[in-house]
Every structure is written in structure tokens, then in C-alpha cells.
Amino acid sequence: MERQQILDRYEWRPGTCFRHPSKGEVQTAHVKTIRPRVGPEEEVRACEDCVVQMEQERWVEAGRNGVDYQPGHAGETLL
């Protein structure tokens, strides 16, 4: 799948990438919600490069485990 096809599966808005906070505000997509025992939920956001990298990692893991790869779910587990 092409990079842009993967990116098109996400909703983008300005935010801070959890892997690259020093980049400041960039276009990001929601990849996970952290629900601590105390305090409010926290949204984890990733930049385009990180989303593509996370999708690549999921694709490789899916192949290793014999599961179908469905793009658009970076941050979620396969099994």
C-alpha cells in the first residue's frame, strides 16, 4: 500500500507527536487513548512519518502471525 493511501485512512489535525515532541506542532493523527487510574484520559498523537512506521511494523507483525493486515489502526494490537 502506498504511503498516501495509508495516511488517507486517518483524520489529521495540528498536534504534538508523542515520538517527536521537539518538532512542536505538526499534523498528527490519534493513535491511542491512555486511561490512567487517576486523572483524565490522554490522547496519543503521531506525525505522518510515525504513523507510516507504525503501520509498517503492524504489517510485518501480521505477516509473522498469519493474520490479515488492515491499515488505519496504528497504535492498536493485532491479536
Side-chain angles (χ1 to χ4, degrees):
M1 185 170 260
E2 299 281 330
R3 176 185 172 94
Q4 193 58 52
Q5 290 174 306
I6 291 170
L7 296 176
D8 287 346
R9 294 182 179 263
Y10 292 87
E11 291 184 32
W12 299 91
R13 68 173 173 86
T16 302
C17 177
F18 79 102
R19 288 184 178 171
H20 303 108
S22 62
K23 285 185 179 180
E25 190 171 270
V26 294
Q27 288 290 55
T28 60
H30 174 264
V31 292
K32 193 160 187 83
T33 300
I34 297 174
R35 294 175 176 87
R37 288 185 181 202
V38 293
E41 293 182 350
E42 294 184 38
E43 188 177 70
V44 179
R45 301 192 68 79
C47 67
E48 292 180 359
D49 290 338
C50 289
V51 166
V52 170
Q53 182 180 357
M54 293 167 76
E55 287 286 358
Q56 175 68 25
E57 291 166 2
R58 290 182 81 250
W59 178 73
V60 169
E61 185 180 346
R64 270 192 233 136
N65 292 299
V67 259
D68 289 334
Y69 165 69
Q70 294 293 321
H73 304 282
E76 295 179 18
T77 58
L78 285 168
L79 305 174

